[in-house]
Amino acid sequence: MLVTPFCLMLTCLQVSPDRSQFFRYDSITLSCEDPLNSTGWKVKRRTSDSGVRPCSSGWGFASSGSICIIGNTYPTDTGVYWCESDGGNQSNEVNITITDRTVILESPAMPVSEGAAVVLYCKAETNASKHKYNFFKDGRLVRSNCSGEMTIVSASRSDEGLYTCSASGLGESEGSWLTVLGDGNNKNIQLTPSSGPATASFSFPESRLLCHLIVGIPYLFSTILLGLIYRDRKRGKAAQIAADKRKNLDVNMERIV
C-alpha cells in the first residue's frame, strides 16, 4: 500500500478500496496507519443522523482496535470519518458518500502529490460497456469517452476541484473534491483508485493552512524575539563604548588642567 508523504509523518485514515464514493451494499475497510504506533487508535465517524460515534457502536465491525469494516453500506453511512487516539489526538478526515445512484466517481480518498499520475474512474452499476462517459470539473465538461477512465498525467494545483461524471442513460454521480498537495518531489507515486494499490487522501485546504500556521507562528515569534535581543545587545554595546569614550575624555581633560 502506497501512502502520501503526509502519512509518512502523521497518523492517517486509510480507505480500502481507495475512493470516497460507494454504491449501496458495498464493503469498506477503514484502518488507522501510524508509522510510529499501530495501536491505540480507533475509527470514528460523524453522520447527519447519528452524530459522532466510534466503530462497533451501531455501525461497522472492529476486526482489531485500529481496523473497522463496514460489510454492507447504506446511504445513512455517508459522513466524515477519522482516527482518534485514547488521548484525543485525531488523524486526517475523509468524506465518504454512499449513494443510491447508478453511477459513482472513483477518485482518491486522500490528497495527491503535485506531479503524480491520477486516474479517475466513472463506474456504472450495470452494463458498463454500453455507455458514453462524461467527466466534469467544477461543472464544466473536461473529458468524454467510452472507457470510463480519465487520466491526469501530472497533477498540478490547477487540477484541484470538484469532479463528477455521468454515464449515458444512467445519470450523474455525486461530486468528489480532488486535493493536490504542492509537493513536486513525489512524481513517481501512481494513484489508481480501486484497481491499484490503495493510496491516501486528506481532506480540506483549510487543514493544510492550519498546519502551516501551527508550524510557522512559533518560528516567527522566535525570530522576532532573537531580533529584539540582538538589537538590545547592540544598543547596550554601543552605549558602553560611548560611555568609555566620555570617561577617557574626562580623564584627559583632568590631566590637561
Side-chain angles (χ1 to χ4, degrees), residues 1-250:
M1 177 182 291
L2 297 177
V3 296
T4 63
F6 178 83
C7 287
L8 295 178
M9 298 179 292
L10 301 174
T11 300
C12 280
L13 173 64
Q14 301 282 355
V15 182
S16 181
D18 177 31
R19 60 180 192 257
S20 58
Q21 293 184 22
F22 295 86
F23 291 119
R24 179 191 286 260
Y25 305 130
D26 279 347
S27 177
I28 307 175
T29 299
L30 306 163
S31 59
C32 301
E33 302 290 338
D34 188 337
L36 301 178
N37 180 17
S38 59
T39 61
W41 293 89
K42 295 180 181 179
V43 179
K44 290 189 175 183
R45 77 177 187 183
R46 181 174 60 253
T47 62
S48 58
D49 295 335
S50 303
V52 177
R53 299 177 68 180
C55 182
S56 295
S57 64
W59 70 274
F61 165 72
S63 62
S64 71
S66 60
I67 298 177
C68 182
I69 299 173
I70 308 176
N72 291 293
T73 58
Y74 294 89
T76 53
D77 293 312
T78 296
V80 180
Y81 291 73
W82 69 91
C83 297
E84 189 167 319
S85 69
D86 294 335
N89 295 321
Q90 295 183 359
S91 71
N92 60 301
E93 294 182 344
V94 176
N95 288 281
I96 293 179
T97 301
I98 314 300
T99 181
D100 278 327
R101 298 188 186 188
T102 54
V103 179
I104 62 172
L105 175 67
E106 296 186 355
S107 62
M110 293 185 67
V112 300
S113 297
E114 190 173 20
V118 183
V119 182
L120 306 179
Y121 296 90
C122 193
K123 185 175 181 181
E125 200 167 23
T126 57
N127 300 323
S129 61
K130 298 182 179 180
H131 302 291
K132 178 182 178 181
Y133 297 91
N134 296 317
F135 292 86
F136 303 87
K137 176 181 179 288
D138 298 328
R140 295 179 299 172
L141 179 66
V142 292
R143 194 77 54 86
S144 294
N145 57 44
C146 295
S147 65
E149 296 183 12
M150 173 180 164
T151 301
I152 302 174
V153 178
S154 180
S156 66
R157 296 300 297 272
S158 63
D159 294 311
E160 193 171 77
L162 184 67
Y163 287 80
T164 60
C165 72
S166 65
S168 57
L170 294 179
E172 191 171 348
S173 71
E174 302 275 2
S176 287
W177 184 270
L178 178 67
T179 298
V180 180
L181 297 179
D183 185 355
N185 297 322
N186 300 278
K187 296 183 178 181
N188 295 323
I189 298 177
Q190 182 71 26
L191 303 169
T192 53
S194 80
S195 65
T199 51
S201 159
F202 187 28
S203 277
F204 300 106
E206 290 85 354
S207 300
R208 297 203 306 274
L209 176 61
L210 178 61
C211 181
H212 290 312
L213 289 175
I214 292 173
V215 174
I217 289 176
Y219 176 80
L220 177 62
F221 284 157
S222 298
T223 303
I224 294 174
L225 181 60
L226 289 174
L228 292 174
I229 293 173
Y230 176 77
R231 185 195 64 182
D232 292 340
R233 287 183 176 178
K234 188 173 182 181
R235 287 180 176 177
K237 186 176 181 180
Q240 183 62 42
I241 293 174
D244 292 341
K245 288 183 177 180
R246 287 196 299 270
K247 183 177 180 180
N248 292 334
L249 182 59
D250 293 339

